[in-house]
Amino acid sequence: MEGKSSSSHRRDLLRKIKEFTRSILDDLSIGKSPVVLIDRFRNYCTDSTGNCCCTSDLSKGKEVLTLQRECHVRRLDVLLRVLLIVQQLLQENRHGSKRDIYYMHPSVFSDQSIVDRAINDICILLRCSRHNLNVVLVMGWLRFSEAGKKFDCINRLNNVRKEEAYPVPVHVEEVKDIISVAQYILVVEKESVFQRLANDEFCNKNRCIVITGRGYPDIPTRRFLRLLVEKLHLSVYCLVDCDPYGFDILTTYRFGSMQMAYDAKFLRVPEIQWLGAFPSDSEKYCLPEPCLLPLTAEIRGKPKPFYVDAISNKNCCTGG
């Protein structure tokens, strides 16, 4: 997809959406239960050294969704609802966040993770990245252009609110003329932290670039971060919560995901360093028990290799 223009890419995705929905309608019209096959990939690269060389996009099997199973009916319903929203975004050439999509039907989706899963399924079905589905933010000592349009974050240092911060470029391959006098790049997990830093004029007092992926980073965020590190040769730090979700987000930036394996070499940033509270700090500073949250069954069931490596691998930490 690297060589495609944005307009031809949109047309291609709209064609695939039309073909997919038509196949379902054709089956229903003849009384046949539709069958949706979704390729399954490993969720994560397991190379803890950061020197991942994964290039294969071969699936590790297929998941079969049918209307004959109640749980599949629910999942297909959500998938088609999200697909309709994606279709509208493509037709209108607009971009929305995964959170925006969730709030369009919160009573139906019930949880953000339901939308996230549907988006991943759609990406696999259409064989595309998520870059049309999210908007993230950047501020600081940075100038760049995208598709001929100039973005000057430096001129906004004295008056940056979240609503005025620039979005991370969607078409990263069209980013040119990158100029910066920053000393480092800071990636923050949460949009609320980004807003607090903006309110405190953090970039006005510190020569840096601040980026937020608003939780789990999408494709443009990781590609843009990788591009900045390659072009500017700056140190990059990631401020995340000291919990499995924070570790998961950190390692997504550092090691990459295998969901779209063929994009891995364009996405991972092995240089990124962990910034924030460490698990050892609770004992080191004798934090009282009320300050700590217990691990729920859901959190305990999350994949462990990445955040275990993040804790034990000194190269992933800045201290602690």
Side-chain angles (χ1 to χ4, degrees):
M1 291 188 293
E2 290 296 322
K4 286 191 175 183
S5 68
S6 59
S7 58
S8 64
H9 187 210
R10 287 198 304 274
R11 287 195 299 269
D12 186 45
L13 290 178
L14 287 169
R15 175 186 58 79
K16 290 180 179 179
I17 292 173
K18 184 177 181 180
E19 291 174 352
F20 173 72
T21 53
R22 178 176 291 174
S23 68
I24 292 179
L25 290 174
D26 288 344
D27 286 342
L28 292 173
S29 67
I30 60 175
K32 179 181 177 182
S33 177
V35 175
V36 178
L37 301 178
I38 300 179
D39 289 326
R40 294 289 86 181
F41 298 88
R42 284 182 297 168
N43 287 331
Y44 300 103
C45 170
T46 54
D47 187 344
S48 61
T49 67
N51 298 319
C52 173
C53 58
C54 304
T55 57
S56 173
D57 62 345
L58 297 177
S59 69
K60 303 300 177 182
K62 292 183 181 291
E63 189 171 4
V64 182
L65 304 183
T66 74
L67 296 181
Q68 297 174 355
R69 297 187 60 184
E70 185 175 349
C71 61
H72 288 178
V73 173
R74 161 72 173 158
R75 186 168 166 189
L76 287 171
D77 175 46
V78 172
L79 188 152
L80 290 173
R81 288 175 183 269
V82 174
L83 189 62
L84 176 61
I85 296 171
V86 170
Q87 182 184 46
Q88 293 172 338
L89 291 173
L90 289 169
Q91 289 171 336
E92 299 171 11
N93 193 21
R94 295 187 295 110
H95 301 93
S97 71
K98 293 186 292 183
R99 199 65 176 165
D100 293 335
I101 293 175
Y102 167 74
Y103 279 118
M104 290 182 182
H105 304 287
S107 61
V108 175
F109 295 142
S110 72
D111 189 82
Q112 180 67 55
S113 62
I114 303 296
V115 173
D116 295 347
R117 184 178 191 179
I119 291 173
N120 283 337
D121 288 342
I122 291 170
C123 289
I124 294 173
L125 286 169
L126 304 183
R127 298 192 65 80
C128 68
S129 298
R130 289 175 290 163
H131 64 267
N132 286 310
L133 307 181
N134 209 353
V135 175
V136 287
L137 305 173
V138 59
M139 64 179 178
W141 295 80
L142 177 68
R143 291 191 182 108
F144 63 92
S145 63
E146 179 194 11
K149 184 178 180 180
K150 295 183 178 180
F151 297 87
D152 191 344
C153 301
I154 298 177
N155 281 341
R156 295 192 177 189
L157 287 177
N158 294 322
N159 185 25
V160 176
R161 298 193 308 271
K162 180 193 71 175
E163 294 80 4
E164 295 177 343
Y166 283 118
V168 163
V170 173
H171 306 294
V172 180
E173 65 276 3
E174 298 182 14
V175 172
K176 299 179 180 178
D177 305 321
I178 299 175
I179 300 175
S180 177
V181 291
Q183 298 174 339
Y184 60 92
I185 301 170
L186 176 63
V187 180
V188 297
E189 173 186 350
K190 296 183 176 179
E191 187 176 359
S192 59
V193 176
F194 183 95
Q195 181 64 77
R196 175 62 185 269
L197 294 176
N199 292 341
D200 291 345
E201 299 183 358
F202 181 81
C203 292
N204 198 27
K205 304 168 186 175
N206 301 270
R207 287 187 176 268
C208 65
I209 299 167
V210 180
I211 297 175
T212 177
R214 303 204 294 190
Y216 282 89
D218 67 350
I219 302 301
T221 310
R222 292 156 61 192
R223 289 182 64 194
F224 187 59
L225 179 62
R226 165 84 181 220
L227 178 65
L228 291 180
V229 172
E230 288 181 345
K231 296 295 184 181
L232 301 176
H233 306 288
L234 296 175
S235 298
V236 55
Y237 305 94
C238 189
L239 178 61
V240 295
D241 287 343
C242 183
D243 60 23
Y245 292 107
F247 304 153
D248 210 14
I249 290 170
L250 167 66
T251 52
T252 298
Y253 281 111
R254 181 177 171 113
F255 300 110
S257 167
M258 286 292 288
Q259 196 73 37
M260 292 294 170
Y262 52 82
D263 274 342
K265 62 182 179 181
F266 299 110
L267 302 176
R268 65 182 182 272
V269 182
E271 301 91 343
I272 200 165
Q273 300 180 71
W274 182 10
L275 184 67
F278 294 83
S280 58
D281 288 345
S282 61
E283 296 182 2
K284 183 177 180 180
Y285 298 105
C286 301
L287 295 181
E289 195 68 25
C291 293
L292 305 178
L293 295 175
L295 289 177
T296 64
E298 178 186 1
I299 293 177
R300 289 181 183 277
K302 287 182 65 61
K304 296 183 180 180
F306 266 0
Y307 63 75
V308 169
D309 287 340
I311 294 172
S312 61
N313 188 345
K314 294 182 180 179
N315 292 329
C316 202
C317 304
T318 59

